[in-house]
């Protein structure tokens, strides 16, 4: 996992009395007793809230003030725990996730995979560390804390003659160092999974259940927006953790065979796609509601009633997004300490690839969902549109360009702009005076077509000489469409694009990808509002440049790029949607 994912990450504030874990999900013991009412009839008993701590407002402000009194200035219980370990004389190691290349003498350069001794973590963004004899500042977001903090540097597998690892050192009851390290990783996977289940249960029972009792405050549509399909995720994870428990060897954890569990549930984990796509909407809806005090007090009362740690609701709802991205990291760590001879090795190796594919699929679906807004905007810029919307059948622009279309019976050639989407090819005509304006002409259903490469020379069907040509032939009606490109390389790009279109359609069928009717209607509604608000009808260069700036915001120059994000995703090819749309820019002399 190497590139940042575009999910907005909100800072999580852990209560100072909590036991910090990698997920930060442990419950907390309060120093003072708070009396919180149980909501039984759909109405929150306000009088019960005032028994010990006064009004709702007093209760909320009391806990806010307690955070300011005890909260660590750096933010986050995990960071506080790191500094406590360092101050106690413990050695804290972190592993580099990305290369950090620097020309600054005060910064510490390293490569992905390097192990860094963390010497000072009081600053939230920049830590002080050491590698061998070099010391310096480095960005905290470039590293992750090592699972095996008790593994000293000298205990890395040594190389002996023949290039094989010497794993003869033993740990405790006859375990090798590698076995002990595998034990630590297995224990982390099991413990964090248990914490995560508790966390999901708290959200479902502590928030959703109470919100449903307050029909005067929340509609079902609002709850769907805020919580997405987190209840489905909770049911899935309960089954998954039971499968893990069955494979967990309590007496000898390093012998546990958990790889098969990830392989078994890889398809079910795809439900995270819907949740991740909805997460930005949840953040916006929460931001809107929490501007009203009664919602702030209500959410805080729900948290206290469920005895949850001191994190705001938006922080809790971020955890599933983080969790699905953490699985590949945990499995990579597990594979690192699993001997090739271990019975679980092949399954762990396959599970790592499977979970990377799940993360890749989730990010691809997020990208596709973002694309539908752009497609809706594009359609709204086309004059004289006829028939159904593009989004009824398509969700991806595969390729676009100018071609000469030859029509029967006179074999008349016409220059047209063509846009190849999944399932359909849309034909448009440029305005004679304003070349940035397009008029809708027709479309071709690609599901019924086969592509035929045409050699240069005289074509028998149309009885004309052609060059750089290809045909679309309808298998059902025997209808034939002839197209000519200006250059051979343009023809080859179109032939490749048609292959990609069929491949995309097949992949969507295999993975079950689809855009909901609600999402389609919302995209078209947004595009219509923008048009009526005075957006230019044609996709002009200034509008295109504006959209490009929105898609690629300027990052702070004082921070490395990866520091802006906390989650990572697999590499993927950049979307060429706007590169294709840029072909519609005004004609230049």
């Amino acid at each position: 996992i190497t590139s940042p994912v575009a999910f907005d990450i909100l800072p999580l504030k852990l209560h100072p009395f909590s036991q910090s874990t990698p997920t930060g999900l442990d419950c907390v013991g309060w120093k003072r007793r708070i009396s919180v009412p149980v909501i039984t009839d759909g109405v929150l008993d306000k009088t019960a809230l005032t028994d010990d701590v006064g009004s709702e407002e007093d209760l909320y402000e009391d806990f806010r003030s307690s955070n300011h009194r005890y909260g660590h200035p750096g933010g986050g219980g995990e960071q506080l725990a790191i500094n406590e370990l360092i101050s106690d004389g413990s050695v804290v190691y972190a592993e580099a996730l990305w290369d950090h290349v620097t020309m600054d003498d005060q910064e510490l350069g390293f490569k992905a995979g390097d192990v860094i001794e963390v010497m000072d973590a009081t600053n939230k963004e920049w830590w002080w560390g050491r590698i061998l004899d070099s010391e310096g500042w480095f960005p905290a977001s470039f590293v992750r804390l090592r699972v095996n903090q008790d593994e000293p540097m000298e205990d890395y597998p040594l190389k002996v003659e023949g290039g094989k690892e010497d794993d003869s050192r033993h740990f405790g009851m006859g375990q090798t160092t590698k076995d002990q390290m595998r034990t630590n990783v297995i224990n982390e996977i099991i413990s964090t999974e248990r914490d995560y289940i508790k966390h999901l249960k708290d959200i479902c029972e502590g928030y959703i259940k109470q919100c449903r009792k307050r029909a005067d405050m929340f509609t079902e549509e609002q709850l769907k927006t805020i919580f997405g399909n987190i209840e489905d995720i909770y049911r899935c994870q309960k089954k998954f953790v039971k499968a893990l428990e069955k494979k967990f060897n309590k007496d000898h954890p390093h012998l546990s065979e958990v790889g098969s569990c990830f392989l078994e549930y890889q398809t079910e984990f795809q439900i995270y796609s819907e949740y991740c796509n909805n997460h930005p909407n949840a953040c916006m809806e929460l931001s809107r509601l929490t501007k009203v005090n009664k919602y702030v007090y209500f959410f805080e009362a729900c948290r206290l009633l469920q005895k949850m740690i001191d994190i705001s609701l938006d922080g809790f709802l971020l955890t599933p997004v983080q969790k699905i991205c953490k699985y590949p990291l945990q499995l990579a760590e597990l594979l690192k300490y699993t001997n090739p001879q271990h019975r679980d090795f092949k399954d762990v190796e396959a599970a790592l690839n499977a979970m990377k594919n799940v993360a890749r699929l989730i990010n691809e679906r997020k990208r596709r969902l973002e694309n539908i807004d752009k497609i809706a905007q594009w359609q709204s810029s086309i004059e004289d549109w006829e028939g159904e919307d593009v989004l009824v059948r398509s969700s991806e622009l595969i390729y676009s360009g100018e071609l000469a279309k030859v029509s029967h019976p006179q074999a008349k050639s016409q220059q047209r702009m063509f846009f190849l989407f999944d399932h359909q090819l849309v034909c448009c005509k440029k305005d004679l005076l304003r070349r940035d304006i397009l008029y809708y002409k027709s479309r071709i259903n690609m599901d019924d077509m086969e592509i035929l490469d045409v050699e240069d020379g005289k074509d028998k069907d149309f009885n004309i000489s052609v060059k750089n040509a290809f045909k679309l032939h309808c298998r059902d009606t025997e209808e034939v469409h002839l197209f000519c490109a200006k250059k051979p390389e343009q023809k080859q790009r179109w032939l490749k694009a048609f292959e990609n279109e069929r491949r995309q359609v097949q992949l969507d069928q295999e993975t079950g990808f689809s855009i909901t009717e609600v999402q389609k209607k919302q995209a078209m509604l947004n595009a219509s509002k923008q048009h009526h608000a005075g957006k230019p009808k044609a996709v002009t260069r200034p509008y295109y440049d504006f959209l490009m700036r929105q898609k690629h915001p300027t990052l702070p120059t004082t921070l490395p790029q990866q520091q802006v994000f906390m989650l990572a995703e697999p590499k993927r090819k950049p979307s060429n949607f706007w590169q294709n749309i840029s072909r519609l820019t005004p004609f230049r002399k």
Side-chain angles (χ1 to χ4, degrees):
I1 294 179
T2 54
S3 61
V5 65
F7 286 121
D8 294 327
I9 306 305
L10 306 172
L12 305 184
K13 295 190 293 183
L14 300 181
H15 194 278
F17 305 120
S18 66
Q19 297 293 321
S20 179
T21 68
T23 52
L25 300 177
D26 283 1
C27 289
V28 61
W30 298 100
K31 291 187 69 175
R32 56 184 296 187
R33 181 177 178 274
I34 304 298
S35 176
V36 181
V38 177
I39 305 174
T40 56
D41 58 353
V43 180
L44 182 63
D45 187 355
K46 294 187 177 182
T47 58
L49 276 172
T50 63
D51 290 346
D52 290 347
V53 293
S55 67
E56 284 179 329
E57 290 82 355
D58 293 337
L59 177 144
Y60 176 69
E61 290 301 324
D62 181 70
F63 277 86
R64 281 183 60 87
S65 62
S66 70
N67 286 341
H68 292 304
R69 189 160 55 247
Y70 299 109
H72 186 263
E78 185 173 296
Q79 185 182 359
L80 181 62
I82 296 170
N83 285 313
E84 288 177 351
L85 287 171
I86 295 172
S87 62
D88 290 341
S90 300
V91 180
V92 178
Y93 291 114
E95 291 185 8
L97 295 173
W98 296 286
D99 295 349
H100 181 226
V101 181
T102 178
M103 301 298 290
D104 193 326
D105 293 338
Q106 293 190 355
E107 291 186 23
L108 183 66
F110 48 75
K111 293 183 178 181
D114 286 351
V115 178
I116 305 152
E117 180 184 348
V118 181
M119 304 175 68
D120 184 357
T122 52
N123 186 286
K124 181 172 62 175
E125 297 171 342
W126 290 89
W127 292 354
W128 185 269
R130 175 169 59 199
I131 299 178
L132 299 178
D133 297 330
S134 302
E135 294 187 13
W137 295 106
F138 63 93
S141 61
F142 275 46
V143 302
R144 70 184 291 261
L145 293 179
R146 254 177 46 192
V147 175
N148 298 296
Q149 289 294 337
D150 56 349
E151 176 190 10
M153 292 294 293
E154 59 269 19
D155 274 348
Y156 269 109
L158 302 175
K159 297 289 182 180
V160 295
E161 294 182 9
K164 295 182 179 180
E165 293 180 357
D166 178 12
D167 204 20
S168 59
R169 294 182 305 276
H170 287 263
F171 236 94
M173 300 293 291
Q175 286 189 20
T176 64
T177 303
K178 205 165 188 177
D179 287 342
Q180 181 58 41
M181 297 306 106
R182 192 174 200 275
T183 293
N184 292 349
V185 179
I186 289 289
N187 285 336
E188 188 211 41
I189 290 174
I190 297 296
S191 64
T192 56
E193 208 61 38
R194 290 168 177 165
D195 290 338
Y196 183 46
I197 286 294
K198 172 66 166 60
H199 170 90
L200 293 175
K201 179 182 179 182
D202 285 343
I203 293 176
C204 293
E205 296 185 1
Y207 284 103
I208 299 179
K209 186 177 179 180
Q210 299 296 345
C211 288
R212 284 194 174 127
K213 294 179 179 179
R214 296 302 305 268
D216 59 316
M217 293 177 66
F218 303 95
T219 65
E220 276 300 320
E221 185 177 350
Q222 279 180 309
L223 295 182
K224 181 65 176 176
T225 300
I226 296 172
F227 298 101
N229 63 333
I230 200 167
E231 290 175 302
D232 296 333
I233 291 175
Y234 177 39
R235 285 188 285 269
C236 172
Q237 292 294 150
K238 281 197 294 185
K239 294 187 293 182
F240 176 66
V241 78
K242 286 181 180 179
L244 280 179
E245 298 278 6
K246 289 180 181 179
K247 296 290 185 177
F248 179 53
N249 189 325
K250 295 181 181 179
D251 297 327
H252 304 287
H254 68 284
L255 297 178
S256 302
E257 300 175 25
V258 299
S260 59
C261 298
F262 289 91
L263 292 175
E264 181 183 351
Y265 282 85
Q266 60 177 309
T267 302
E268 294 192 47
F269 282 145
Q270 292 180 14
I271 62 173
Y272 277 85
S273 176
E274 178 183 338
Y275 186 86
C276 294
N277 288 339
N278 179 70
H279 184 257
N281 298 329
C283 292
M284 287 190 291
E285 181 66 17
L286 274 179
S287 177
R288 188 182 68 82
L289 290 179
T290 51
K291 291 177 182 177
V292 182
N293 283 339
K294 71 174 183 177
Y295 287 99
V296 176
Y297 306 142
F298 177 81
F299 288 140
E300 181 67 0
C302 289
R303 183 184 69 79
L304 296 176
L305 175 65
Q306 194 67 18
K307 300 178 182 178
M308 301 166 72
I309 59 174
D310 188 11
I311 299 177
S312 59
L313 178 55
D314 52 4
F316 282 117
L317 295 178
L318 177 64
T319 309
V321 179
Q322 294 174 318
K323 184 65 176 177
I324 197 64
C325 293
K326 188 176 181 181
Y327 282 136
L329 296 175
Q330 288 181 320
L331 288 169
E333 190 87 1
L334 183 60
L335 185 63
K336 178 179 176 182
Y337 298 111
T338 303
N339 285 314
Q341 295 79 22
H342 197 292
R343 291 175 56 181
D344 200 25
F345 182 83
K346 289 185 178 179
D347 280 347
V348 172
E349 190 174 41
L352 174 58
N353 292 327
M355 294 311 297
K356 283 182 178 180
N357 287 334
V358 169
R360 187 180 299 113
L361 175 65
I362 289 173
N363 284 293
E364 174 64 13
R365 287 184 173 182
K366 178 175 173 59
R367 183 188 67 81
R368 294 279 294 279
L369 191 61
E370 291 169 350
N371 267 355
I372 68 172
D373 287 322
K374 301 169 189 175
I375 293 174
Q377 291 173 26
W378 170 83
Q379 181 183 317
S380 69
S381 72
I382 305 298
E383 299 284 356
D384 300 337
W385 186 270
E386 295 179 7
E388 64 184 18
D389 295 329
V390 175
L391 293 179
V392 171
R393 304 189 62 224
S394 305
S395 60
E396 177 87 349
L397 175 64
I398 310 295
Y399 192 68
S400 67
E402 198 165 358
L403 292 169
K405 183 175 184 293
V406 182
S407 306
H408 274 310
Q410 297 89 2
K412 182 180 178 182
S413 176
Q414 297 173 316
Q415 287 295 123
R416 294 287 184 261
M417 280 295 301
F418 289 92
F419 298 86
L420 178 62
F421 296 89
D422 52 313
H423 299 288
Q424 59 185 315
L425 178 68
V426 177
C427 174
C428 296
K429 176 185 177 180
K430 287 185 177 181
D431 187 89
L432 292 176
L433 298 178
R434 288 194 57 187
R435 306 295 285 176
D436 57 317
I437 294 181
L438 294 176
Y439 296 89
Y440 174 85
K441 301 306 292 183
S442 63
R443 75 181 87 191
I444 297 173
N445 182 4
M446 293 304 301
D447 294 340
D448 300 332
M449 296 293 166
E450 61 177 342
I451 315 317
L452 302 177
D453 192 356
V454 178
E455 295 182 359
D456 292 349
K458 191 167 185 177
D459 181 74
K460 296 179 181 179
D461 293 332
F462 288 81
N463 196 30
I464 59 172
S465 295
V466 295
K467 191 176 182 180
N468 307 321
F470 60 87
K471 293 178 181 177
L472 295 183
H473 172 249
C474 181
R475 291 179 287 263
D476 296 334
T477 64
E478 298 299 325
E479 183 182 4
V480 178
H481 303 274
L482 177 63
F483 303 89
C484 296
K486 292 181 180 180
K487 298 178 182 179
E489 54 268 28
Q490 291 178 347
K491 170 186 171 180
Q492 293 304 318
R493 283 197 287 267
W494 272 105
L495 294 178
K496 184 66 176 177
F498 288 123
E499 292 179 10
N500 293 338
E501 186 270 339
R502 287 295 89 189
R503 191 179 300 114
Q504 183 70 66
V505 170
Q506 183 179 356
L507 181 62
D508 289 346
Q509 291 174 346
E510 292 174 354
T511 59
F513 175 80
S514 63
I515 304 294
T516 66
E517 291 300 320
V518 173
Q519 291 167 336
K520 294 174 185 177
K521 290 179 181 178
Q522 187 61 48
M524 294 306 300
L525 181 62
N526 293 340
S528 176
K529 287 180 179 178
Q530 289 184 1
H531 172 56
H532 291 302
K535 295 287 183 181
K537 184 67 175 177
V539 186
T540 59
R541 169 59 64 176
Y543 185 38
Y544 166 72
D545 289 340
F546 166 75
L547 289 169
M548 288 299 291
R549 287 196 299 273
Q550 294 299 103
K551 185 179 180 184
H552 303 288
T554 303
L555 298 176
T557 55
T558 55
L559 297 178
Q561 180 169 340
Q562 284 88 339
Q563 199 163 356
V564 180
F565 307 93
M566 291 177 61
L567 297 184
E569 66 177 336
K571 284 183 178 179
R572 56 173 167 79
K573 293 182 179 179
S575 170
N576 61 352
F577 184 90
W578 286 114
Q579 286 84 338
N580 294 336
I581 287 295
S582 67
R583 299 173 187 270
L584 301 181
T585 55
F587 176 77
R588 295 181 181 179
K589 293 184 179 179

